[in-house]
Amino acid sequence: MSRINKNVILALLTLTSSAFLLFQLYYYKHYLSTKNGAGLSKSKGSRIGFDSTQWRAVKKFIMLTSSQNVPVFLIDPLILELINKNFEQVKNTSGGSTSECKFFCVPRDFTVFALQYHLWKNEEGWFQIAENMGFQCLRIESKDPRLDGIDSLSGTEIPLHYICRLATHAIHLVVFHERSGNYLWHGHLRLKRHIDRKFVPFRKLQFGRYPGAFDRPELQRVTVDGLEVLIPKDPMHFLEEIPHSRFIECRYKEARAFFQQYLDDNTVEAMAFRKSAKELLQLAAKTLNKLGVQFWLSSGTCLGWYRQCNIIPYSKDVDLGIFIQDYKPEIIVAFQDAGLPLKHKFGKVEDSLELSFQGKDDVKLDIFFFYEDTDHMWNGGTQAKTGKKFKYLFPRFTLCWTEFVDMKVHVPCETLEYIEANYGKTWKIPVKTWDWKRSPPNVQPNGVWPISEWDEVIQLY
């Protein structure tokens, strides 16, 4: 009997111990872990992930920039995309009401902000305060390209990027500079020899692989994960600009060498033409931009930019390229409304379309439409007297931004290949006599328009 009692007592003790252990596990999971911020549940009122390394680094950076009146704004592509998807929710969130960390707590190496440099008043003081707050900061500088055209000032250096690391997370501050065409530009992030390549994983940086150009964004203040930040008012537009932002600088050094060999034409006639051509280009850009039609500098205008950073005075016209898929029927009416009457129209939308408009002082605007084949691109030409068709072949190319006559405009990124296709290997030598049917090395016959179609494909005004 005593043995039975002992077994019962042992069983009861085991059962009691197990129940107590289960209670402890339940208590830890549902009370203590939540209290200490370690819970994984997304239940009411829990501030999930607000103690993450990323969020703390961003919070401290915002405290730093706010206290020093440094006008930074968020340009991080991943976070802007998340904000854009939840834009109404973000706009309606007031400070401190966020219960969950949705944006700044995503595990990653960098968070990217931008700064308009001309608005920054206390650069050196800010840098020292950042280090006092625990940030380790790296400053990337390079020469100011805006001064490259002036020999005596071409060595001046400006800040392009700041990398500020706190623990394992880094803030990448992209420095935007104003350019003549009322746009913002950032430079290439090139690491100099003395810089520690292991400071951060530089290869993961989303800005700085090449110089970039952006429209000047209008900003708005929003609350994100309990933190007040400035963001572009139209996040989607900024996101769409990023993959197409690559910028190519004018080749000032080569232009100076060109003018040492071939004296610049500074006659009254040449200067008058350049002035008229610049005004025509600006008017054309304004008209096409209003229509949302992408264009680039082509033919002699592109050659002038690449070879001498200026308009070629004896070219007598302005040349632009447009991809045929971007053609809009409203183009002709829009240019006529802008005071540029149509001079001629050759070809069809599906084949060899070319438009020419008459500007002031006999300066002509030629627009060539480009078509894509499997391994090349081409634009067409038509001889008005005979109806003969010509095709001009180009290697495939993409578009980059540049600055030309105080404007932000597109040029082919693969500029040298584009120029050589059109003008051959001797493009550096000025040629004042040019036969568009025979001189270009990339021209080839492309048949003849049927006489029955002449009224449609050859229209002179």
Side-chain angles (χ1 to χ4, degrees):
M1 189 72 183
S2 60
R3 178 181 292 180
I4 293 173
N5 289 339
K6 286 180 181 178
N7 287 339
V8 170
I9 291 169
L10 183 62
L12 287 171
L13 287 172
T14 303
L15 186 61
T16 305
S17 298
S18 299
F20 183 72
L21 180 61
L22 287 171
F23 175 77
Q24 284 183 312
L25 289 172
Y26 179 87
Y27 182 80
Y28 178 80
K29 181 177 180 181
H30 292 278
Y31 179 72
L32 288 181
S33 63
T34 303
K35 184 178 179 182
N36 293 324
L40 298 177
S41 168
K42 292 188 179 180
S43 58
K44 320 170 184 180
S46 60
R47 295 173 68 80
I48 307 302
F50 270 63
D51 284 334
S52 73
T53 304
Q54 300 89 263
W55 186 82
R56 287 199 306 271
V58 172
K59 180 183 180 182
K60 207 164 190 177
F61 178 76
I62 291 173
M63 287 171 57
L64 166 67
T65 53
S66 297
S67 67
Q68 299 300 305
N69 295 317
V70 183
V72 301
F73 57 99
L74 183 72
I75 61 168
D76 192 288
L78 175 61
I79 299 176
L80 280 184
E81 193 169 342
L82 289 173
I83 290 174
N84 191 62
K85 288 178 181 176
N86 303 275
F87 203 38
E88 289 306 314
Q89 178 187 339
V90 170
K91 280 198 302 183
N92 296 327
T93 300
S94 58
S97 66
T98 305
S99 61
E100 206 179 318
C101 190
K102 295 181 178 179
F103 305 95
F104 289 126
C105 295
V106 180
R108 51 219 298 271
D109 295 296
F110 297 94
T111 301
V112 192
F113 286 83
L115 166 78
Q116 295 185 50
Y117 190 65
H118 67 285
L119 300 177
W120 198 357
K121 305 302 180 188
N122 185 25
E123 179 186 349
E124 292 303 325
W126 178 88
F127 199 73
Q128 185 59 53
I129 293 169
E131 294 186 341
N132 293 341
M133 289 180 69
F135 285 100
Q136 293 176 285
C137 291
L138 184 67
R139 173 175 169 165
I140 310 294
E141 292 182 317
S142 189
K143 65 179 183 178
D144 190 342
R146 295 168 296 182
L147 305 177
D148 264 0
I150 309 170
D151 287 329
S152 59
L153 297 176
S154 60
T156 305
E157 291 206 333
I158 55 174
L160 301 179
H161 298 265
Y162 283 94
I163 312 288
C164 290
R165 186 179 67 190
L166 185 70
T168 59
H169 192 70
I171 304 295
H172 179 193
L173 183 57
V174 181
V175 183
F176 280 121
H177 296 268
E178 289 187 305
R179 297 289 293 249
S180 297
N182 193 32
Y183 65 96
L184 301 178
W185 168 92
H186 73 75
H188 189 181
L189 198 160
R190 284 194 177 96
L191 297 180
K192 297 181 180 178
R193 290 184 181 179
H194 67 278
I195 291 177
D196 178 9
R197 262 60 175 176
K198 296 179 181 178
F199 183 71
V200 290
F202 289 102
R203 291 182 182 275
K204 294 184 181 181
L205 289 173
Q206 294 165 293
F207 290 84
R209 295 174 187 172
Y210 43 75
F214 290 82
D215 294 337
R216 188 189 300 275
E218 188 178 347
L219 302 177
Q220 66 175 330
R221 190 174 298 278
V222 295
T223 299
V224 180
D225 292 339
L227 304 175
E228 279 198 7
V229 293
L230 286 170
I231 65 169
K233 195 166 187 178
D234 185 350
M236 198 63 226
H237 177 70
F238 189 86
L239 287 167
E240 288 170 350
E241 284 189 282
I242 294 173
H244 309 291
S245 62
R246 187 173 179 179
F247 184 92
I248 302 176
E249 203 67 58
C250 183
R251 302 160 70 246
Y252 292 107
K253 182 180 177 183
E254 289 79 2
R256 285 195 291 269
F258 174 81
F259 287 124
Q260 285 175 358
Q261 186 171 3
Y262 305 100
L263 293 179
D264 195 7
D265 187 348
N266 289 319
T267 60
V268 173
E269 293 78 14
M271 293 175 70
F273 169 75
R274 280 181 171 145
K275 181 177 181 294
S276 298
K278 176 180 176 179
E279 290 172 355
L280 178 59
L281 179 56
Q282 290 174 334
L283 180 57
K286 182 179 178 181
T287 305
L288 292 171
N289 289 337
K290 194 179 293 185
L291 289 173
V293 175
Q294 183 176 245
F295 68 94
W296 66 91
L297 305 183
S298 191
S299 304
T301 307
C302 185
L303 175 63
W305 166 78
Y306 190 71
R307 186 176 67 188
Q308 54 214 70
C309 296
N310 210 336
I311 294 167
I312 299 174
Y314 52 81
S315 59
K316 302 306 177 189
D317 57 18
V318 171
D319 302 308
L320 302 180
I322 294 176
F323 291 121
I324 192 62
Q325 60 265 31
D326 293 329
Y327 170 78
K328 292 183 179 180
E330 305 93 307
I331 287 177
I332 294 175
V333 174
F335 273 110
Q336 289 176 331
D337 289 345
L340 301 175
L342 186 65
K343 186 175 176 66
H344 69 244
K345 175 186 175 185
F346 292 147
K348 304 177 180 180
V349 173
E350 60 270 22
D351 182 10
S352 305
L353 184 64
E354 175 191 342
L355 301 176
S356 183
F357 297 90
Q358 185 62 60
K360 292 189 303 181
D361 305 319
D362 290 329
V363 182
K364 190 160 54 80
L365 172 68
D366 289 330
I367 299 180
F368 305 102
F369 290 87
F370 279 65
Y371 301 77
E372 295 186 53
D373 280 344
T374 307
D375 59 348
H376 66 276
M377 297 180 178
W378 61 277
N379 73 279
T382 298
Q383 187 176 24
K385 290 181 180 179
T386 63
K388 287 183 179 179
K389 298 165 62 181
F390 298 88
K391 180 183 279 191
Y392 303 85
L393 306 182
F394 294 84
R396 295 181 71 84
F397 59 88
T398 53
L399 297 180
C400 287
W401 291 111
T402 192
E403 186 173 306
F404 186 59
V405 294
D406 299 326
M407 294 173 56
K408 183 182 82 157
V409 291
H410 275 124
V411 291
C413 299
E414 301 76 14
T415 322
L416 181 59
E417 292 85 349
Y418 189 90
I419 295 290
E420 287 185 346
N422 219 175
Y423 296 99
K425 299 286 186 181
T426 59
W427 57 269
K428 291 183 182 179
I429 302 172
V431 177
K432 296 188 177 182
T433 304
W434 188 259
D435 183 345
W436 61 269
K437 301 180 295 298
R438 298 183 183 85
S439 299
N442 63 338
V443 65
Q444 63 180 39
N446 192 29
V448 180
W449 289 107
I451 294 178
S452 59
E453 296 181 21
W454 275 27
D455 289 344
E456 179 186 356
V457 301
I458 301 173
Q459 299 178 31
L460 302 174
Y461 298 85

